[in-house]
Amino acid sequence: MTSLLKTAMPTRASDRGTYTYVAVYSAVLYTVLLIAPVVAGKLIQQFGLTPVQLGGLFSLELGAFSLATVPAYLWLRRINLRTASYLFTAVVIAGNLLSGFVDSFPLLVAVRFVTSLAAGSITVILLTLSGKTSNPSRAFGIFVVFQLAMGALILAVFPALFAGAGVSAIYWTLAGLGVACLVVVNRIDGEVLRREVPAAAAARTKVPLAKFVAGLAAVFLFYVALSGVWSFMAQISAAAGTELSATSLVLSVATVAGIASALVATVLGDTPRRRLYLIAGYLGMALSVALLFGAPGLIQFAVAAVIFKFAWTFILPYLLSTLADLSGGGHVMNTTNLMIGGGFAVGPVLSGALIQSGGGSFTGMLALSLAGVLASFACVLLVQRRRAV
């Protein structure tokens, strides 16, 4: 028993370093996307933006986050990950500092694109290293938990903290948070991917194409469905006659439920029951979407919103760890980052188009989202069934 513990200790120590890196960076990097509600009004005030310009800026940042996947195919296995982390973090810090000084909107757009591209590149490292730990579900759970916790903190604190300040103060705060990230870079093994190139290449050749495509489709469809519904949650409630204050309270409770479920998934980590947890989570998410049909009253809407958020964040760590199993991380997780960003971008646009074409009805949008959840579920079952063979 003692010898086994000694043998396991280096792995656990390495995992703890990765968990720390993932926790700090996922909280700080995703602040770029989470500050949108806080920074929107200040950007309009300072630059006189139209809604189209503002939406375009935020879409560009999200798109850059995802597009970082493309160049990562070239550098991910060739550069020491510590060196890459220092380099990209320096770009993020410089980009946020510069964002606070520019007074030209076109220049701000360019700076935000480069800053988000660097942040997305670090996200690729986060996803890849999470898949390399001995407990990927726990690592991905940490990835989700710290994003959600930072999101809740931002929405609670930033509006009051920066009420009398310009947009520059927010960007400079983000730069300061980026500096804080630098202290955890030395916690990761920068050579882990370069050492494993031959083994990883051999493993990838054994992954059937259908399994690979099904796994990526599961992530893409999952994000299309969840982003499409969550973007219009308040409108669904308002259409049923619920007051805004009650809706806001429900969504706040749902957010807390989401943090709680991600914490549960993190504590449970990888387990032989992962398939069972995924089944339960997907069924819960499908049920929550079904409850939103037909202009639900306040109680029904509250139940649907809480189950939806709880199931969504409970599923995600296990869904990502299922993808990581396909090749132990690497370029599978890099491509997964593209699927996440693509799903996030497509979901709200597609849902909005369906609502508009339906004359304001949410039925078509909800039907599509329900189909997306079930299709993602089917893809996950396909991957796991073949994996068991």
Side-chain angles (χ1 to χ4, degrees):
M1 176 65 74
T2 303
S3 61
L4 286 173
L5 287 174
K6 288 181 179 179
T7 302
M9 277 302 291
T11 299
R12 291 205 298 269
S14 174
D15 285 350
R16 285 196 295 271
T18 300
Y19 294 156
T20 302
Y21 177 90
V22 170
V24 172
Y25 267 100
S26 61
V28 172
L29 290 180
Y30 279 79
T31 304
V32 174
L33 307 179
L34 298 169
I35 61 169
V38 180
V39 79
K42 296 182 182 297
L43 286 171
I44 291 173
Q45 183 179 12
Q46 179 168 330
F47 293 98
L49 304 183
T50 66
V52 172
Q53 287 176 313
L54 183 65
L57 175 62
F58 292 148
S59 294
L60 187 74
E61 291 198 50
L62 182 59
F65 240 84
S66 302
L67 286 175
T69 293
V70 178
Y73 287 116
L74 301 177
W75 61 260
L76 184 59
R77 293 187 178 277
R78 293 179 172 88
I79 302 177
N80 181 287
L81 296 184
R82 288 187 182 181
T83 301
S85 296
Y86 283 126
L87 174 63
F88 292 128
T89 305
V91 174
V92 169
I93 294 168
N96 283 319
L97 284 173
L98 188 56
S99 296
F101 287 108
V102 299
D103 55 8
S104 163
F105 180 65
L107 181 57
L108 178 67
V109 169
V111 171
R112 296 315 302 165
F113 178 82
V114 174
T115 305
S116 296
L117 194 65
S121 298
I122 301 176
T123 299
V124 170
I125 298 175
L126 291 176
L127 292 173
T128 301
L129 287 179
S130 294
K132 304 301 293 183
T133 62
S134 60
N135 198 326
S137 293
R138 178 159 296 152
F140 290 124
I142 292 170
F143 177 72
V144 175
V145 166
F146 279 81
Q147 287 179 49
L148 294 174
M150 179 60 86
L153 180 64
I154 285 172
L155 294 178
V157 174
F158 270 37
L161 188 62
F162 296 102
V167 70
S168 298
I170 298 178
Y171 285 133
W172 291 337
T173 299
L174 298 183
L177 292 172
V179 172
C181 288
L182 294 173
V183 301
V184 302
V185 174
N186 63 357
R187 301 295 303 273
I188 64 173
D189 180 355
E191 294 293 326
V192 63
L193 295 184
R194 291 203 286 190
R195 282 199 304 268
E196 295 183 359
V197 167
R204 284 198 301 276
T205 62
K206 300 177 183 178
V207 179
L209 179 61
K211 184 178 182 180
F212 176 75
V213 171
L216 295 179
V219 175
F220 178 75
L221 292 168
F222 178 75
Y223 272 91
V224 168
L226 76 86
S227 64
V229 171
W230 192 250
S231 297
F232 292 95
M233 271 292 195
Q235 286 74 19
I236 292 172
S237 179
T242 304
E243 294 183 359
L244 179 59
S245 58
T247 299
S248 298
L249 177 61
V250 167
L251 295 181
S252 297
V253 172
T255 299
V256 173
I259 295 174
S261 69
L263 278 172
V264 170
T266 301
V267 172
L268 291 174
D270 275 332
T271 167
R273 296 193 177 111
R274 180 170 65 180
R275 180 184 175 90
L276 177 61
Y277 292 156
L278 278 168
I279 291 173
Y282 269 106
L283 291 179
M285 197 166 172
L287 172 62
S288 67
V289 175
L291 287 172
L292 293 172
F293 281 91
L298 177 59
I299 300 300
Q300 184 174 331
F301 174 77
V303 171
V306 170
I307 294 176
F308 184 87
K309 190 74 173 185
F310 187 94
W312 155 15
T313 55
F314 184 74
I315 290 170
L316 187 53
Y318 294 113
L319 176 58
L320 293 177
S321 63
T322 297
L323 267 290
D325 282 351
L326 293 181
S327 69
H331 289 309
V332 170
M333 298 315 299
N334 183 21
T335 309
T336 298
N337 183 52
L338 186 61
M339 296 299 101
I340 292 172
F344 255 136
V346 169
V349 172
L350 189 56
S351 291
L354 288 171
I355 294 168
Q356 184 172 323
S357 64
S361 170
F362 296 96
T363 302
M365 178 271 283
L366 291 172
L368 179 71
S369 294
L370 181 58
V373 169
L374 295 176
S376 176
F377 181 33
C379 289
V380 169
L381 292 181
L382 173 63
V383 171
Q384 293 204 333
R385 183 173 64 248
R386 293 176 69 96
R387 177 170 168 261
V389 174

